[in-house]
Amino acid sequence: MKSVERQIIEAVSRIAQCDEWVNLRLGIGDDTAVYVPSIGEDLLLTTDQVVEGTHFEREIHPAHALGYKTIARAVSDIAAMGGNSLCCLLSLCLPDWTRPDWLRHYLRGLSVAIGRFNIPLVGGDVARGEKFNATLSAVGSVSQTAALTRHNAEPGDRLYVSGLLGGSALGLKILREGGSSRRVAVRRHLYPEPRLALGRFLRNEVSASAAIDLSDGLSSDVIKLALASSVAIEIDVRSIPCYRGCSVDEAIVGGEEYELLFTVPAKVKVPGAFDHVPLTKIGTIKTGSGVKLRTENGLITLQDRGFHHFESQ
């Protein structure tokens, strides 16, 4: 009789989608996977976690959405670098409450994201623990030395953001209040869309100078970009694109957007949208340090009010 662990591994293997991947010499079933890199590419390596009680509340977050989001969170990092997704590895820590039916729905969501973002699952690990934890390590690629980073914004560049901000936080609020999971804002929270094609467009066609994905909120991530590039940033609050029903403050603070915040030289023309996703100029890069908001009452310093894991410590 097969052990529970073996049954779980076989269930994961069935949704891996790596059988026809030409660069994969060996996938799930051995001590490691074997990947053959292409000539002239840099590899992008990232990892992300989905932790019970930190990233989701099991009373309101469906298993299918958690599986999808496990992949999407890490893929968004690859998108911010202007890369292509290649493969991923998944480590699962499963508590007693993860019954077979719940796990089946989780793996279905995982499978949907694997196919949608073309990122085969090539290995991982499974263990038992007190709380659910999914650690997803993703591998992407980009042409050598061509990766978009946070470090190259220059004074005079323009600051843009994709999409509308605040929708994910609104969706979480609706879920907590018992609202329908069919609401558009709720689906935006449960099933984020990493901007892979947009990232490549920014790198190849727009010559963006820097980029970061919005996972912790605009107020936090724009400060990270300013610090990494050693520049100051000025944002016009009237230009921030807000999701319907959200205030500017909610758009600034809300996290888990997975939109792209990026800079381009002033002479570069940026289209108003890419693949039906609006691209909005919201600010300017300047010399100095820090981030300021231009309001009707003048300039004020932006405070980091995004999500921080160790805020209370």
Side-chain angles (χ1 to χ4, degrees):
M1 182 177 179
K2 295 179 182 177
S3 67
V4 174
E5 181 177 350
R6 171 50 55 186
Q7 293 177 49
I8 293 172
I9 292 172
E10 290 182 354
V12 172
S13 298
R14 286 194 291 271
I15 57 99
Q17 301 182 31
C18 59
D19 292 342
E20 299 180 4
W21 193 37
V22 295
N23 287 68
L24 186 67
R25 186 169 294 165
L26 187 63
I28 293 176
D30 220 299
D31 290 312
T32 76
V34 179
Y35 167 76
V36 183
S38 299
I39 296 174
E41 72 177 6
D42 286 341
L43 295 183
L44 308 173
L45 310 176
T46 185
T47 190
D48 216 326
Q49 297 184 79
V50 175
V51 180
E52 178 186 350
T54 299
H55 300 105
F56 76 95
E57 302 164 31
R58 60 187 172 103
E59 296 81 8
I60 62 173
H61 285 93
H64 186 279
L66 289 176
Y68 177 95
K69 210 169 188 179
T70 298
I71 298 286
R73 288 166 58 89
V75 169
S76 184
D77 290 334
I78 294 173
M81 306 293 284
N84 300 293
S85 52
L86 291 182
C87 62
C88 62
L89 300 101
L90 174 66
S91 291
L92 287 174
C93 179
L94 302 176
D96 290 340
W97 63 259
T98 52
R99 311 312 299 169
D101 186 59
W102 188 95
L103 186 59
R104 183 164 56 252
H105 286 290
Y106 175 84
L107 293 179
R108 285 176 181 171
L110 202 75
S111 178
V112 168
I114 286 171
R116 183 171 182 81
F117 306 125
N118 192 28
I119 185 164
L121 179 64
V122 300
D125 192 21
V126 62
R128 182 180 178 183
E130 294 183 2
K131 285 191 174 185
F132 179 90
N133 184 313
T135 300
L136 196 288
S137 297
V139 183
S141 70
V142 67
S143 298
Q144 284 184 349
T145 72
L148 274 173
T149 72
R150 307 174 183 182
H151 299 85
N152 295 317
E154 297 282 351
D157 287 356
R158 304 299 188 243
L159 179 71
Y160 284 78
V161 70
S162 67
L164 306 176
L165 305 184
S168 178
L170 176 61
L172 177 58
K173 179 182 178 182
I174 292 171
L175 275 177
R176 285 173 170 167
E177 293 174 348
S180 171
S181 62
R182 295 184 179 181
R183 295 276 294 274
V184 176
V186 173
R187 290 195 62 82
R188 181 177 173 86
H189 172 70
L190 295 177
Y191 297 95
E193 187 70 21
R195 303 301 187 189
L196 277 168
L198 174 59
R200 293 191 293 267
F201 173 75
L202 295 176
R203 175 173 59 84
N204 296 327
E205 306 298 332
V206 177
S207 299
S209 50
I212 185 173
D213 76 319
L214 295 180
S215 55
D216 295 327
L218 177 62
S219 74
S220 180
D221 293 324
V222 70
I223 291 174
K224 294 174 188 174
L225 191 150
L227 287 170
S229 290
S230 299
V231 295
I233 296 178
E234 183 179 305
I235 296 175
D236 185 346
V237 295
R238 296 168 299 180
S239 299
I240 296 174
C242 301
Y243 191 86
R244 184 174 59 186
C246 293
S247 67
V248 171
D249 188 67
E250 290 168 332
I252 291 173
V253 176
E256 291 198 300
E257 298 287 354
Y258 302 107
E259 296 291 351
L260 296 185
L261 184 72
F262 60 96
T263 61
V264 298
K267 63 181 180 180
V268 174
K269 184 176 181 180
V270 177
F274 174 82
D275 196 21
H276 307 294
V277 177
L279 305 178
T280 307
K281 177 181 173 293
I282 63 171
T284 306
I285 310 303
K286 297 180 176 293
T287 58
S289 61
V291 179
K292 294 189 180 298
L293 300 177
R294 180 169 293 281
T295 71
E296 58 183 12
N297 297 318
L299 289 175
I300 61 173
T301 299
L302 176 65
Q303 302 298 322
D304 183 349
R305 296 160 59 202
F307 179 79
H308 298 280
H309 287 279
F310 304 103
E311 189 71 26
S312 61
Q313 296 185 13

